[in-house]
Amino acid sequence: MKNAVRGISGMACASTLILMVAGCGGGSGTDSAASSAEPADKEEHKPAVGVVTRAQADKLVDHYEKVNNKANKNSDPRLLSTVEGGAVLEQSKATYKMQKNWTAAERADYRKPFHYVDRKFYLPRKGTADWFAMVAYSKNAGEKKGKYPGILIMEKQGGDWKMVAGSYSESTWLPRLAKDEKGFVEPVSDTAKKAGALSPDALSDELLDLYTEQGSTRDGFRTSKTTESLRKIPGRQNKLLNPHGEAVFNRGEPTHEKFHALRTEDGGVFAVFSTEVREHDRGTQVTATIHPSDSMKVYVGDTSAPSFFVNWLHLSSAYLPSKGRPKLLGTEYEMTDAAADSDRNGRMPGTGT
């Protein structure tokens, strides 16, 4: 797929056995001593500052675009890792691997430079977070901007600012974020506290339920194009494997799972989060053999086996109103790993789950 932070809007598709490919100098000792001796009330009257200024945020995104475009041109994950981290980087590295299945025209299209336009920055106060959000549209040179806005998160990691999360909404609507008297947004600190029917830290579990339980009716996501698309995946996979196989979906290792959440004006929560979903395709008869898809072959080669594990990393955005059920605004997912067979405990080789 072409992931959200690449600048391609809308929900992306990747292939398993049935899904076809469709588609980030210090002061002197004297100065320091003088500073520490200043009265506390003087500190309180210093002007409020954000985690970065808007001008700094703009420059950080400009730098990200420049390095990202250069990395895309040569499918260079090492260079990309200087400006991307977390789930975004994992999806990007997987996309680079998948390019061996693409046509020359598809690779050329992906490598076209892109830019983020109509940028709007949402900056927390300094000391309340080590990240900020941007809402913007992607635009390739000579083309119209994307149809839907992207919600992108830049976070400070090891002294460098990196793009770590990104999701495109399935519509142009986004909730209005709450701001204080200085215009700073408020990160959610108590992520276990419910906003309406769900708490922010339960979002990944709820997304997984779309695969495993087809979504709960009382507290789950409101029905949308995105939820309906995800709900159909298990049925399609099982239809392909029947009558001698089945596809079972579970939670993957949470290595790259993280969420960033902000308060909304109506007392709700807006969040960008990542979810690991593991698919286990297995034969239900001793003689059954599964043949990997082209996308799976990137990881497992041409070898057939009685069973395969496939990891799917999702990047999603959601709105949790102060009352009622949450809305899944959009999701992008990518196959980030696959492996044949399992150990005697039914675990994916090389993992703890």
Side-chain angles (χ1 to χ4, degrees), residues 43 50 68 80-81 88 100 115 130 138 159 168 183 235 237 247 270 276 283 301 304 307 316 318 322 331 333:
E43 291 289 328
N68 193 349
L80 192 60
S81 69
V88 164
K100 66 168 57 179
H115 301 280
D130 58 358
S138 63
Y168 274 78
Q237 292 294 78
F270 172 73
E276 297 268 13
S304 299
S307 70
S316 313
S322 57
T331 192
Y333 53 92

Side-chain angles (χ1 to χ4, degrees), residues 13-300:
C13 296
S15 67
T16 57
L17 298 173
I18 65 162
L19 301 181
M20 300 303 292
V21 173
C24 301
S28 67
T30 302
D31 291 337
S32 178
S35 176
S36 64
E38 290 179 351
D41 61 347
K42 189 172 182 179
E43 291 289 328
E44 293 175 0
H45 288 87
K46 286 185 177 180
V49 295
V51 63
V52 292
T53 66
R54 278 174 169 74
Q56 289 171 334
D58 232 0
K59 289 183 178 180
L60 287 169
V61 174
D62 287 344
H63 176 67
Y64 170 73
E65 289 178 349
K66 182 179 179 180
V67 176
N68 193 349
N69 284 324
K70 185 177 180 180
N72 287 348
K73 187 176 181 179
N74 300 298
S75 299
D76 186 347
R78 180 173 296 183
L79 176 60
L80 192 60
S81 69
T82 64
V83 293
E84 283 190 359
V88 164
L89 179 60
E90 292 306 304
Q91 283 196 344
S92 296
K93 290 191 295 185
T95 300
Y96 286 166
K97 290 180 180 179
M98 290 295 168
Q99 289 182 4
K100 66 168 57 179
N101 292 329
W102 296 5
T103 65
E106 288 172 333
R107 287 192 292 270
D109 183 66
Y110 185 86
R111 292 168 180 171
K112 290 179 181 178
F114 76 95
H115 301 280
Y116 291 116
V117 299
D118 300 344
R119 302 174 184 177
K120 294 181 180 179
F121 294 106
Y122 297 92
L123 310 175
R125 281 178 180 258
K126 185 177 182 179
T128 65
D130 58 358
W131 56 272
F132 65 89
M134 176 183 75
V135 174
Y137 291 82
S138 63
K139 183 181 184 301
N140 291 344
E143 299 178 10
K144 294 181 179 180
K145 70 180 183 181
K147 185 177 180 181
Y148 300 117
I151 305 100
L152 308 166
I153 305 295
M154 292 203 81
E155 183 177 85
K156 198 168 188 178
Q157 296 188 339
D160 297 321
W161 285 93
K162 297 183 178 184
M163 191 73 73
V164 297
S167 175
Y168 274 78
S169 175
E170 66 179 25
S171 72
T172 57
W173 179 86
L174 291 173
R176 294 177 63 88
L177 298 177
K179 297 180 182 180
D180 64 17
E181 68 279 4
K182 298 296 184 178
F184 296 114
V185 292
E186 181 186 352
V188 176
S189 56
D190 186 0
T191 57
K193 183 178 180 180
K194 284 188 175 182
L198 202 69
S199 61
D201 62 5
L203 284 169
S204 281
D205 289 336
E206 201 59 47
L207 187 137
L208 179 64
D209 282 351
L210 296 174
Y211 285 90
T212 61
E213 300 177 10
Q214 301 299 284
S216 61
T217 57
R218 185 182 65 179
D219 299 330
F221 291 118
R222 285 179 269 174
T223 299
S224 67
K225 294 178 182 178
T226 303
T227 61
E228 290 305 289
S229 179
L230 294 180
R231 282 191 179 109
K232 291 177 182 178
I233 293 175
R236 288 174 178 170
Q237 292 294 78
N238 278 285
K239 183 177 180 180
L240 177 71
L241 294 171
N242 283 340
H244 305 304
E246 64 179 355
V248 179
F249 293 83
N250 293 288
R251 189 66 166 270
E253 291 186 290
T255 309
H256 302 290
E257 288 197 3
K258 192 171 184 178
F259 59 87
H260 299 81
L262 294 169
R263 295 288 179 197
T264 60
E265 283 188 350
D266 60 2
V269 173
F270 172 73
V272 179
F273 63 102
S274 50
T275 310
E276 297 268 13
V277 177
R278 178 164 294 159
E279 176 184 349
H280 189 189
D281 298 324
R282 60 194 184 193
T284 53
Q285 293 186 359
V286 176
T287 58
T289 299
I290 295 174
H291 303 283
S293 68
D294 287 342
S295 293
M296 291 167 64
K297 289 177 182 178
V298 170
Y299 298 101
V300 303

Side-chain angles (χ1 to χ4, degrees), residues 334-350:
E334 182 64 79
M335 183 192 296
T336 55
D337 195 14
D341 298 323
S342 66
D343 64 18
R344 62 184 181 181
N345 296 313
R347 295 180 299 212
M348 185 174 183

